[in-house]
């Protein structure tokens, strides 16, 4: 069961990365969550994990975009 959950997390992280890769001007976490069908909290948690493992993600505090 743990392996299945880990597989789902990795797939979710991959979808987040692929969507961000397609965007030139960023997206809000709320919009990204809505597009991908996850909660905003899950998106923020995933973004933190992706940054910790070395993906160079930036957050624009003025616009709220990732």
């Amino acid at each position: 069961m743990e392996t299945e959950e880990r597989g789902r997390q990795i797939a979710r992280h991959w979808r987040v990365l692929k969507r961000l890769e397609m965007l030139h001007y960023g997206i809000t976490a709320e919009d990204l969550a809505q597009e991908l069908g996850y909660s905003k909290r899950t998106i923020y948690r995933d973004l933190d994990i992706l940054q910790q493992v070395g993906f160079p993600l930036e957050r624009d505090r003025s616009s709220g975009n990732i």
Side-chain angles (χ1 to χ4, degrees), residues 8-61:
R8 283 192 294 271
Q9 287 175 342
I10 291 169
R12 188 179 65 236
H13 294 163
W14 182 252
R15 284 190 290 276
V16 168
L17 286 171
K18 294 307 285 180
R19 183 63 184 120
L20 290 175
E21 180 182 54
M22 295 171 52
L23 302 166
H24 296 284
Y25 300 105
I27 188 170
T28 65
E30 187 172 341
D31 288 343
L32 184 59
Q34 188 173 19
E35 281 187 23
L36 297 177
Y38 305 119
S39 72
K40 188 167 63 168
R41 182 175 179 210
T42 295
I43 292 296
Y44 277 124
R45 191 172 31 236
D46 288 349
L47 292 172
D48 287 340
I49 290 168
L50 291 169
Q51 283 183 307
Q52 287 174 17
V53 298
F55 287 94
L57 303 175
E58 295 182 19
R59 294 183 189 177
D60 182 347
R61 303 259 185 231

